[in-house]
Amino acid sequence: MAFPGQPAPGGGYYQGGYGAAPGGPSFPGQAQDPLYGYFAAVAGQDGQIDADELQRCLTQSGIAGAYKPFNLETCRLMISMLDRDMSGTLGFNEFKELWAVVNGWKQHFVNFDSDRSGAVDRQELEKALTNMGFRLSPQAVSAITRRYSTHGKITFDDYIACCVKLRALTECFRRRDASQQGFVNFQYDDFIQCVMSI
């Protein structure tokens, strides 16, 4: 990668930092928290929710609004993004963090869906990603658009899946970029574990 505004040898852009997701950290006090009702309604006796339960929880909460409910693969991606103990489930604090992040992404989606079509196009996606702090090459944005769009339009569910994957891959990269210069060396097995865990 390269420095701000400079193409890297491999084609990426680097601004001296990495993009982030809107939304804040979780906080204690779950019993009084209104989100706890959604969480507790689907969490089993173990106090954790898996992808199926997360899908039900998010659907019942109405977080998707008028958009179609999240598909199961998107829910799996959301869990993998915050599943720090690698259990395949989320506890309440992880769920709260997810809720804040998804709400931030939803607000971005609404703000950048300028024609109110319920989907964003490549240009709207690029503006949203730039607003989140990601500095990606036009080629990278085009690749993301091809991966997550249908006929050039990215629905809310696919937009969330894209944001989850981008955040998780960025975190994986950032942990290995000790000097914060935009370069890392991966061993093959480490690379596969990183990509396949998302």
Side-chain angles (χ1 to χ4, degrees):
M1 298 191 119
F3 292 100
Q6 293 181 320
Y13 284 77
Y14 180 72
Q15 71 172 42
Y18 298 101
S26 59
F27 56 89
Q30 62 193 32
Q32 304 88 4
D33 194 303
L35 288 179
Y36 190 71
Y38 294 122
F39 179 84
V42 297
Q45 290 185 6
D46 63 355
Q48 302 283 313
I49 56 176
D50 62 19
D52 292 312
E53 292 165 333
L54 179 61
Q55 185 183 43
R56 280 198 316 275
C57 183
L58 293 174
T59 300
Q60 290 170 7
S61 74
I63 194 170
Y67 305 115
K68 68 179 183 170
F70 295 109
N71 71 46
L72 193 55
E73 182 57 25
T74 302
C75 292
R76 287 185 189 117
L77 285 170
M78 286 190 253
I79 287 177
S80 72
M81 177 179 73
L82 294 170
D83 182 18
R84 293 178 184 92
D85 62 359
M86 308 303 261
S87 65
T89 61
L90 295 179
F92 180 65
N93 286 335
E94 293 165 322
F95 173 75
K96 282 187 62 115
E97 185 176 346
L98 174 66
W99 185 271
V101 169
V102 169
N103 267 308
W105 286 332
K106 180 179 180 179
Q107 192 58 47
H108 270 125
F109 184 83
V110 169
N111 289 342
F112 289 99
D113 178 17
S114 55
D115 61 0
R116 302 295 179 247
S117 64
V120 293
D121 61 22
R122 185 202 179 285
Q123 289 76 24
E124 291 166 332
L125 175 66
E126 186 169 21
K127 287 176 189 172
L129 294 175
T130 299
N131 185 268
M132 283 187 257
F134 293 102
R135 300 294 180 256
L136 302 170
S137 69
Q139 296 84 356
V141 175
S142 292
I144 291 168
T145 304
R146 281 191 304 274
R147 168 65 178 85
Y148 289 98
S149 68
T150 303
H151 306 296
K153 296 289 188 176
I154 302 168
T155 64
F156 179 62
D157 183 71
D158 288 329
Y159 179 82
I160 295 297
C162 170
C163 289
V164 168
K165 190 163 268 193
L166 196 53
R167 174 182 161 157
L169 286 170
T170 299
E171 285 301 314
C172 182
F173 191 93
R174 184 185 324 208
R175 283 192 306 271
R176 289 157 179 82
D177 184 11
S179 64
Q180 299 296 293
Q181 294 296 311
F183 294 94
V184 296
N185 288 319
F186 277 94
Q187 290 184 348
Y188 176 70
D189 191 68
D190 186 30
F191 171 75
I192 293 297
Q193 287 180 52
C194 182
V195 173
M196 290 305 217
S197 68
I198 301 166

